[in-house]
Amino acid sequence: VTIPVILGIIFNTIFYKLSKKLDPIFDKLSLLVFLFIIGVAVYQDLHLIPEYIRFAGVKTVLIFILAFFMTIFLTKLFKINQSDKVTIVVETVLQNGGIGIVLGALIFEDAKFIFPVAAYALLQYLFILIYFSYLKMTKKII
């Protein structure tokens, strides 16, 4: 992670005008690559999703919904602007799954204990997609 960031800073500093022209292209390209990676991950585990959901149960979904709405509530409570609010919601939702998988893999030897986290991780992308669709329909983001 560090090397691409450093290279990006150097490129941005030396070729500032060019980097500003390329920014929109790379933003869209990075989104497509991200969606492709998520799509491949979901496709590879598609047959396991029912087992993940059955094993994880309703608790996983409730934890996710609680975290999502708590973040929405707190961003409204602290009167955070719309773009920062969207960023905070997305980061809160997406980082929980990654952190859970890492911690679960470190703590438990048996992979079945990570199933709830895997179910959460798959559901988080579905909810984020719904959230962005809602924001786009209500014109709260461009």
Side-chain angles (χ1 to χ4, degrees):
V1 173
T2 306
I3 293 172
V5 170
I6 291 172
L7 290 175
I9 291 170
I10 292 169
F11 184 84
N12 199 20
T13 304
I14 296 172
F15 304 106
Y16 180 77
K17 289 182 181 180
L18 178 61
S19 71
K20 289 301 162 200
K21 288 181 183 178
L22 294 175
D23 244 3
I25 296 168
F26 281 109
D27 282 346
K28 291 176 182 151
L29 184 62
S30 66
L31 174 66
L32 289 175
V33 169
F34 175 74
L35 291 175
F36 175 74
I37 290 169
I38 298 306
V40 168
V42 169
Y43 178 75
Q44 286 179 338
D45 287 343
L46 201 56
H47 65 285
L48 295 174
I49 291 174
E51 184 180 347
Y52 290 167
I53 301 297
R54 185 177 50 82
F55 188 82
V58 176
K59 297 174 283 239
T60 302
V61 176
L62 291 176
I63 289 170
F64 174 81
I65 291 171
L66 179 66
F68 182 79
F69 284 109
M70 186 173 61
T71 306
I72 297 284
F73 171 74
L74 289 173
T75 55
K76 284 184 180 184
L77 179 69
F78 291 109
K79 297 180 178 137
I80 295 175
N81 69 49
Q82 184 63 24
S83 62
D84 288 344
K85 177 180 168 180
V86 170
T87 301
I88 291 168
V89 168
V90 170
E91 288 298 322
T92 300
V93 169
L94 293 181
Q95 287 183 4
N96 282 338
I99 291 170
I101 290 172
V102 169
L103 290 176
L106 290 173
I107 294 171
F108 303 110
E109 290 180 22
D110 191 351
K112 74 177 182 179
F113 293 112
I114 303 175
F115 284 172
V117 180
Y120 177 95
L122 290 172
L123 289 173
Q124 71 187 3
Y125 292 107
L126 174 65
F127 278 98
I128 287 297
L129 181 64
I130 292 168
Y131 179 61
F132 273 117
S133 298
Y134 167 76
L135 291 175
K136 197 92 160 142
M137 286 183 343
T138 58
K139 307 270 191 252
K140 292 185 179 179
I141 61 170
I142 296 175

